[in-house]
Amino acid sequence: MIIIHSEEELKLIRASSRIVAEVLKKLTKLIKPGVTTAELDKIAEEMIRKRGGTPAFKGYKGFPATICASINEEIVHGIPGFRVVKEGDIISVDIGVEYKGFFGDSAITVAVGEISSDIHKLLRVTREALFKGIEKVRAGNRLSDISHAVQSHVEKNGFSVVRDFVGHGIGSNLHEEPQIPNFGKPKQGPRLKPGMVLAIEPMVNMGTFEVEVQEDNWTAVTRDGQPSAHFEHTIIVTDGEPEIITM
Ligand code: MG
Ligand code: MG
């Protein structure tokens, strides 16, 4: 995994994550009943390229698009297309950007119009779980302190964390060591050091944590068909407070 040493590296990785944040913010505003995921994908790609970045997912292991757009029971890796989002849906948008050799990665789940109160709680708890994990991003803590904090918050609220997909180191590649599961005992794994860059990304299901992958070989869905939410940030470990660079 990369350790950020210089001001120049810091500048570049912040810049790549800033692009991710700007695009996600824009897409969030555009998500309304009637929009298609292909339209969102096109806007995201244009915005990234205009800023000198490259969509990091496009072509990654053959993924065909700039964003992952995962609706309702879709957990992650949904392929944008002509599906129209409708009132009451939730849509998870995940974006990765490469800028001058550095990567940023972030995801958000957005409500389309009015959603039910139980789905609203799912979104709230998933986002809170991400921030419970981020609170543990402190030099000297162990990696699984993050995992444990995420899992505890989710399960306390009656939901489940996905096991099959995990967070990851990031920096000069989209996915680097170490893997960051959203579950596990505390005080395990490597110690966090200043300069490490982590992508923490709880995927939280309303029902069972079991997943299935659809025939497109990408879209992961909940086995029981209940909804799932996903929030992710890219974070730098520092001597003090963690720096969230995709915000
Ligand atoms: Mg992501
Ligand atoms: Mg990621």
Side-chain angles (χ1 to χ4, degrees):
M1 80 173 302
I2 191 183
I3 303 277
I4 297 289
H5 288 294
S6 70
E7 280 300 320
E8 180 62 15
E9 289 172 325
L10 195 54
K11 208 175 95 185
L12 292 174
I13 198 153
R14 281 177 178 150
S16 86
S17 281
R18 193 177 316 119
I19 297 172
V20 174
E22 284 175 8
V23 177
L24 269 183
K25 199 171 169 190
K26 174 75 177 176
L27 295 191
T28 300
K29 285 185 189 146
L30 296 173
I31 292 172
K32 294 199 169 65
V35 75
T36 69
T37 52
E39 286 164 359
L40 298 173
D41 187 68
K42 183 165 179 278
I43 291 161
E45 179 165 4
E46 285 169 1
M47 284 186 74
I48 291 167
R49 294 199 189 279
K50 201 173 148 195
R51 287 160 174 73
T54 308
F57 299 168
K58 202 166 193 175
Y60 183 84
K61 296 183 180 171
F63 190 78
T66 294
I67 67 170
C68 295
S70 308
I71 299 172
N72 298 337
E73 77 285 359
E74 298 173 354
I75 303 167
V76 285
H77 306 160
I79 298 173
F82 299 102
R83 180 163 173 184
V84 176
V85 301
K86 59 182 199 307
E87 179 95 17
D89 284 344
I90 53 171
I91 174 169
S92 303
V93 179
D94 194 347
I95 298 180
V97 167
E98 188 249 309
Y99 178 77
K100 297 188 177 173
F102 288 84
F103 288 77
D105 188 7
S106 181
I108 186 172
T109 302
V110 180
V112 184
E114 290 288 314
I115 56 171
S116 69
S117 62
D118 54 340
I119 297 177
H120 188 269
K121 183 184 171 191
L122 176 71
L123 267 50
R124 175 176 61 78
V125 168
T126 308
R127 189 174 180 282
E128 285 169 357
L130 169 59
F131 281 88
K132 294 282 182 188
I134 293 172
E135 279 174 21
K136 298 293 178 187
V137 178
R138 290 277 175 172
N141 279 359
R142 300 282 194 119
L143 190 74
S144 81
D145 295 337
I146 300 168
S147 313
H148 183 71
V150 170
Q151 181 179 24
S152 304
H153 188 69
V154 169
E155 293 183 353
K156 196 171 70 189
N157 282 283
F159 301 134
S160 69
V161 289
V162 169
R163 270 66 166 166
D164 295 61
F165 305 100
V166 295
H168 50 94
I170 181 169
S172 41
N173 294 283
L174 178 62
H175 294 132
E176 297 183 358
E177 291 294 311
Q179 293 198 341
I180 311 173
N182 294 300
F183 59 96
K185 289 184 194 148
K187 299 186 170 65
Q188 318 279 313
R191 285 198 192 277
L192 304 182
K193 294 190 185 76
M196 287 178 169
V197 189
L198 308 175
I200 302 176
E201 49 178 318
M203 289 144 270
V204 175
N205 294 354
M206 188 169 279
T208 177
F209 60 74
E210 290 179 296
V211 316
E212 272 174 16
V213 175
Q214 290 187 329
E215 281 156 25
D216 61 17
N217 284 323
W218 279 106
T219 314
V221 298
T222 57
R223 179 158 284 185
D224 62 8
Q226 293 201 66
S228 181
H230 180 207
F231 284 82
E232 176 180 27
H233 275 307
T234 298
I235 300 126
I236 304 177
V237 184
T238 75
D239 288 322
E241 295 280 323
E243 183 183 344
I244 305 171
I245 54 175
T246 41
M247 220 152 66

